[in-house]
Each structure stands twice: as structure tokens, then as C-alpha cells.
Amino acid sequence: MAKELSQEQVAAFKAAFDEADSNKDGKISIQELREVMKKVGKNLSEKNLKQLMEAVDEDGDGSISFEEFLDVMKKQMKTLDNEEMRAAFHAFDLNGDGHISVEELKETMAKLGEHLSQDELDAMIQMADVDKDGKVNYEEFMRILSQK
């Protein structure tokens, strides 16, 4: 997984897991899963409950271990991270054409209180623009943001 969880996140997920594990056997059974879903306002049909259990229960033992629970939480966080990145890209892609132009970068940076020179703006686009079309697409945007 690209993004590992902090100790605080693991501890929070462990607390949530322990709360769901009402009989304290270290696993969440389908009955315990049903109760958790009811607590969060989801009254799933038996079929949907079984589908959810099967999707999370990677080893097929009929219950959810903490490791399986943690894997799902990591995937969920990664999905949220991707959605946040897509939203950030769209904040710069003012005309919605799937690219960030120099002009869009200039306008967005100005709205953020950053007034950059034309040379600075051109340099930012050139650094990210792998295909050299003068604009930054989503993949190029993600590549720049994921560099350390």
C-alpha cells in the first residue's frame, strides 16, 4: 500500500474493531457485523450482509480479523486520498477540459494569494508537462504531487 497508517490511525481503527468485536474473540462475526451496520444506520439485507462479509473476509474463515479490517480501512483511505487529489486538480482546471494551462495556473494561484511571474508560471508548467503539450493533465499533476 502506497500510504501506510500512522500509529494513531492504527490505534483508532483497533478501538473501532474492538468495539465491533462484542464477544472479544479477536474477530468480527457476521452477527457482530450486522450490529455494527445497524449502529451506523445501515439495515442490510441478509444477502448484502453476506456480500460485505465475503468482500472483507480475505481468508474465507467466515469472520473479519483485525488485519482484514485494517486492509479495508487502508483501501478506503486511499480511495478518499484519490478523490481529494482529483478535487485539487479540478480546482486548477477551471474550464474543465482535463488540463491545467498556464493561464489557469496563474488565475488559481492569484486566488490563493500567490502572484507569480510569467517565468515562474511557465517553469511550473514545464516541470510537470511530460508530454510537452504546454498543459498539465491529471497524470502529470499526480506525478508531480507524489514526488518527494
Side-chain angles (χ1 to χ4, degrees), residues 1 9 12 19 41 63 70 76 78 88 99 114 125 133 136 144:
M1 184 74 45
Q9 289 170 318
E19 186 174 328
S63 62
L70 209 51
Q76 185 64 31
K78 186 175 192 282
H99 295 88
E114 294 288 330
I125 292 290
D133 64 354
V136 176
I144 288 295

mmCIF file of all heavy atoms in Angstrom, residues 1 9 12 19 41 63 70 76 78 88 99 114 125 133 136 144:
data_model
loop_
_atom_site.group_PDB
_atom_site.id
_atom_site.type_symbol
_atom_site.label_atom_id
_atom_site.label_comp_id
_atom_site.label_asym_id
_atom_site.label_seq_id
_atom_site.Cartn_x
_atom_site.Cartn_y
_atom_site.Cartn_z
ATOM 1 N N MET A 1 0.852 -1.181 0.000
ATOM 2 C CA MET A 1 0.000 0.000 0.000
ATOM 3 C C MET A 1 0.887 1.229 0.000
ATOM 4 O O MET A 1 1.823 1.320 0.788
ATOM 5 C CB MET A 1 -0.894 -0.059 1.246
ATOM 6 C CG MET A 1 -1.909 1.036 1.359
ATOM 7 S SD MET A 1 -3.337 0.937 0.263
ATOM 8 C CE MET A 1 -3.822 -0.747 0.361
ATOM 9 N N GLN A 9 -3.603 6.279 13.758
ATOM 10 C CA GLN A 9 -4.677 5.745 12.928
ATOM 11 C C GLN A 9 -4.920 4.266 13.242
ATOM 12 O O GLN A 9 -6.070 3.834 13.364
ATOM 13 C CB GLN A 9 -4.342 5.915 11.439
ATOM 14 C CG GLN A 9 -4.400 7.355 10.974
ATOM 15 C CD GLN A 9 -3.823 7.529 9.581
ATOM 16 O OE1 GLN A 9 -2.789 6.953 9.246
ATOM 17 N NE2 GLN A 9 -4.487 8.348 8.777
ATOM 18 N N ALA A 12 -6.768 4.010 16.466
ATOM 19 C CA ALA A 12 -8.182 4.377 16.310
ATOM 20 C C ALA A 12 -8.963 3.255 15.641
ATOM 21 O O ALA A 12 -10.085 2.928 16.062
ATOM 22 C CB ALA A 12 -8.309 5.673 15.502
ATOM 23 N N GLU A 19 -14.591 -2.440 19.514
ATOM 24 C CA GLU A 19 -15.982 -2.132 19.844
ATOM 25 C C GLU A 19 -16.938 -3.032 19.059
ATOM 26 O O GLU A 19 -17.947 -3.496 19.583
ATOM 27 C CB GLU A 19 -16.280 -0.663 19.555
ATOM 28 C CG GLU A 19 -17.666 -0.249 20.013
ATOM 29 C CD GLU A 19 -17.908 1.229 19.853
ATOM 30 O OE1 GLU A 19 -16.961 2.019 19.976
ATOM 31 O OE2 GLU A 19 -19.078 1.596 19.593
ATOM 32 N N GLY A 41 -26.670 3.033 11.035
ATOM 33 C CA GLY A 41 -27.873 3.355 10.278
ATOM 34 C C GLY A 41 -28.073 2.565 9.002
ATOM 35 O O GLY A 41 -28.873 2.942 8.157
ATOM 36 N N SER A 63 -15.228 -14.829 9.180
ATOM 37 C CA SER A 63 -15.151 -13.707 10.119
ATOM 38 C C SER A 63 -14.091 -12.717 9.627
ATOM 39 O O SER A 63 -13.313 -13.017 8.731
ATOM 40 C CB SER A 63 -14.811 -14.195 11.527
ATOM 41 O OG SER A 63 -13.542 -14.814 11.534
ATOM 42 N N LEU A 70 -8.140 -3.820 8.880
ATOM 43 C CA LEU A 70 -7.164 -2.781 8.611
ATOM 44 C C LEU A 70 -6.915 -2.623 7.109
ATOM 45 O O LEU A 70 -6.799 -1.496 6.607
ATOM 46 C CB LEU A 70 -5.855 -3.116 9.333
ATOM 47 C CG LEU A 70 -4.966 -1.972 9.769
ATOM 48 C CD1 LEU A 70 -5.726 -0.922 10.567
ATOM 49 C CD2 LEU A 70 -3.799 -2.508 10.579
ATOM 50 N N GLN A 76 -9.907 2.165 1.884
ATOM 51 C CA GLN A 76 -10.889 3.246 1.962
ATOM 52 C C GLN A 76 -10.175 4.598 2.041
ATOM 53 O O GLN A 76 -10.566 5.546 1.379
ATOM 54 C CB GLN A 76 -11.792 3.048 3.184
ATOM 55 C CG GLN A 76 -12.916 4.047 3.285
ATOM 56 C CD GLN A 76 -13.904 3.952 2.149
ATOM 57 O OE1 GLN A 76 -14.144 2.899 1.599
ATOM 58 N NE2 GLN A 76 -14.475 5.073 1.785
ATOM 59 N N LYS A 78 -7.184 5.285 0.907
ATOM 60 C CA LYS A 78 -6.547 5.531 -0.388
ATOM 61 C C LYS A 78 -7.581 6.073 -1.377
ATOM 62 O O LYS A 78 -7.307 7.005 -2.121
ATOM 63 C CB LYS A 78 -5.916 4.245 -0.920
ATOM 64 C CG LYS A 78 -5.123 4.448 -2.184
ATOM 65 C CD LYS A 78 -4.424 3.173 -2.581
ATOM 66 C CE LYS A 78 -3.400 3.368 -3.642
ATOM 67 N NZ LYS A 78 -3.759 3.513 -4.949
ATOM 68 N N ALA A 88 -8.540 18.513 -6.068
ATOM 69 C CA ALA A 88 -7.487 19.531 -6.157
ATOM 70 C C ALA A 88 -7.171 19.848 -7.620
ATOM 71 O O ALA A 88 -7.022 21.020 -7.995
ATOM 72 C CB ALA A 88 -6.227 19.062 -5.432
ATOM 73 N N HIS A 99 -7.137 19.599 -18.455
ATOM 74 C CA HIS A 99 -5.761 20.105 -18.490
ATOM 75 C C HIS A 99 -5.665 21.397 -17.688
ATOM 76 O O HIS A 99 -6.625 22.161 -17.623
ATOM 77 C CB HIS A 99 -5.317 20.383 -19.930
ATOM 78 C CG HIS A 99 -5.244 19.169 -20.772
ATOM 79 N ND1 HIS A 99 -6.332 18.701 -21.474
ATOM 80 C CD2 HIS A 99 -4.231 18.307 -21.012
ATOM 81 C CE1 HIS A 99 -5.977 17.596 -22.125
ATOM 82 N NE2 HIS A 99 -4.714 17.339 -21.855
ATOM 83 N N GLU A 114 -1.069 33.963 -4.297
ATOM 84 C CA GLU A 114 0.286 33.812 -4.835
ATOM 85 C C GLU A 114 0.335 34.469 -6.214
ATOM 86 O O GLU A 114 -0.244 33.970 -7.166
ATOM 87 C CB GLU A 114 0.650 32.328 -4.971
ATOM 88 C CG GLU A 114 0.750 31.589 -3.662
ATOM 89 C CD GLU A 114 1.985 31.986 -2.868
ATOM 90 O OE1 GLU A 114 3.014 32.347 -3.476
ATOM 91 O OE2 GLU A 114 1.913 31.935 -1.638
ATOM 92 N N ILE A 125 4.737 24.843 -15.185
ATOM 93 C CA ILE A 125 4.072 24.011 -16.196
ATOM 94 C C ILE A 125 5.095 23.115 -16.890
ATOM 95 O O ILE A 125 4.884 21.911 -17.051
ATOM 96 C CB ILE A 125 3.310 24.878 -17.223
ATOM 97 C CG1 ILE A 125 2.111 25.575 -16.557
ATOM 98 C CG2 ILE A 125 2.854 24.040 -18.424
ATOM 99 C CD1 ILE A 125 0.957 24.676 -16.145
ATOM 100 N N ASP A 133 2.928 19.326 -24.176
ATOM 101 C CA ASP A 133 1.849 19.968 -24.933
ATOM 102 C C ASP A 133 1.507 21.355 -24.390
ATOM 103 O O ASP A 133 0.556 21.981 -24.828
ATOM 104 C CB ASP A 133 0.600 19.079 -24.962
ATOM 105 C CG ASP A 133 -0.019 18.854 -23.588
ATOM 106 O OD1 ASP A 133 0.564 19.292 -22.571
ATOM 107 O OD2 ASP A 133 -1.095 18.224 -23.533
ATOM 108 N N VAL A 136 -0.864 20.722 -18.293
ATOM 109 C CA VAL A 136 -0.661 19.619 -17.355
ATOM 110 C C VAL A 136 -1.966 18.829 -17.248
ATOM 111 O O VAL A 136 -3.010 19.384 -16.897
ATOM 112 C CB VAL A 136 -0.243 20.146 -15.960
ATOM 113 C CG1 VAL A 136 -0.120 19.010 -14.961
ATOM 114 C CG2 VAL A 136 1.066 20.922 -16.059
ATOM 115 N N ILE A 144 3.771 14.909 -10.212
ATOM 116 C CA ILE A 144 4.467 16.000 -9.507
ATOM 117 C C ILE A 144 4.134 15.970 -8.019
ATOM 118 O O ILE A 144 5.015 16.103 -7.170
ATOM 119 C CB ILE A 144 4.107 17.383 -10.127
ATOM 120 C CG1 ILE A 144 4.766 17.522 -11.489
ATOM 121 C CG2 ILE A 144 4.483 18.522 -9.211
ATOM 122 C CD1 ILE A 144 6.285 17.553 -11.458
#
